[in-house]
Amino acid sequence: MTTEHPSHLAEALRRRRWLISAWPWRALAYLVTTVPIAGVLGVGLLVIGAPLLAAVNGLRQHGRPPSIALMLFLATGSLTLLALAPLVSFPVAVVERWRAGLVDGRPLASSPWPGLVARYRSAATWREVAYLFWLGGFTPVAYWVFLVLVLLDLGMISSPWLAGDANQPVVIWQPIDSTGEAVPYAIVGVLLIPVLWYAIGLLAAVQAAVARWLLAHPVDAAALREVTRSRTRLVGAYEAERRRIERDLHDGAQPRLTSLTLQLGLARLDVPEDSPASRPLAVAHDQARGLMVMLRQLVHGIRPQSLTDLGLAGAVRELADAATIPVAVHADLHDELPEIVETTAYFVVSEALGNVARHARATRADVRLTRAGGDLVVEVTDDGHGGADPARGTGLTGLADRVAAVDGRLLLSSPPGGPTVVRVELPCRR
């Protein structure tokens, strides 16, 4: 389904209105609030990292191994760091999941405290630890580089005002002697301001993407496969039960009700109109005929008989003939379709045409049935006023649920003014 507003920063960066939207300021707020967290973590890593770099540098320059005291310090510090990292990463991850909302509308689910022992044994914990080291190690370096670029740009912009000082300003690598020489640099600096705004968004988007990658709960593939199998079994059981109910109604209840209606009709012929039993008998006969109509509608709602007799294309054409507006049907179906796919596609078209008649104020509609790879593609297009929104009703939501039950996908395009296109892709696995 199409969305009018971007849901996260990476999507907003691709929009033309980036510079005049609120997203650059949200990205800047995300970066600024990162500074104290990354600074504290960076200092903690520096306590261990600086002696280690000194030891490596001494070994490289003098060829001598570090002293035993330094080696003990490094070993103790490293073990302490690894021991404390799972504990420190928990509150940091909680804060980072909350802060991600500044630049990403897709929430990151929080994780409750699992217990001390489970904390060290969980794979999600060590993903959070990896993010901790990334936030304290890489992020400060990236921020310093970006700060240098910002200071260089500010120096270029302010160079015309600094050119008259006794100390000649140096812009990038070129000393500036006069204001005239500084003006081109100032112009370039002003032109680079939008570039820096985009750089702010890019830096924040990369950081948010890493946070989402490492702090999102990993998908349990085995559990996901079991859920998929379970849903397939449930859909299969539902279809079997639906066919049983349809068969019982069609072969059992419907013939008996037909026979009852016929017997009541014959009884009415034998009873004089002035008889006291004539009126109740007429009422019973009318009620029986009404029940027959209702039963036919129930059987039709379970699986339309036209699907069995005419196939999907013929049943859809029958729906089009019964519509209140002209509907053109284009069907390119040559292979046999699974029964559940046919039934789902039929009700998709029925519901979509019902929505067109009730809400769209359209003058015509088109239904297209095609095969694309292993999928059945159903498209319903109308020339109405558009603006269809699943949030304003249950029709489209129920349609999406019906499609999802068979692992299908529903896409909606309905800009204001139209046209509205409902596209459904149904996998045809047998």
Side-chain angles (χ1 to χ4, degrees), residues 182 259 263 268 273 276 359 379 420:
S259 177
Q263 293 297 328
R268 287 184 66 182
E273 293 185 1
H359 308 297
E379 283 189 354
T420 295

Side-chain angles (χ1 to χ4, degrees), residues 53-116:
L53 290 176
V56 172
N57 188 50
L59 181 62
R60 184 175 60 83
Q61 290 185 352
H62 306 292
R64 293 178 300 183
S67 64
I68 296 178
L70 183 58
M71 291 180 64
L72 288 175
F73 173 79
L74 291 174
T76 304
S78 300
L79 291 175
T80 304
L81 188 64
L82 288 176
L84 293 178
L87 304 179
V88 175
S89 65
F90 180 77
V92 172
V94 171
V95 173
E96 288 300 297
R97 289 188 181 100
W98 174 77
R99 282 198 326 111
L102 289 171
V103 292
D104 197 331
R106 301 165 298 178
L108 283 170
S110 59
S111 176
W113 176 257
L116 187 60

Side-chain angles (χ1 to χ4, degrees), residues 389-398:
D389 185 1
R392 294 204 299 262
T394 59
L396 286 172
T397 303

Side-chain angles (χ1 to χ4, degrees), residues 246 249-250 254 294-304:
E246 177 190 3
L249 289 175
H250 188 272
Q254 194 169 359
M294 184 182 299
L295 188 60
R296 288 196 199 100
Q297 291 175 345
L298 287 173
V299 174
H300 184 81
I302 295 173
R303 176 175 169 85

Side-chain angles (χ1 to χ4, degrees), residues 13-34:
L13 273 169
R14 297 192 290 268
R15 301 296 179 94
R16 294 181 179 179
R17 299 174 62 86
W18 157 262
L19 292 175
I20 59 175
S21 68
W23 284 100
W25 298 102
R26 294 175 66 173
L28 182 61
Y30 184 65
L31 297 183
V32 169
T33 53
T34 301

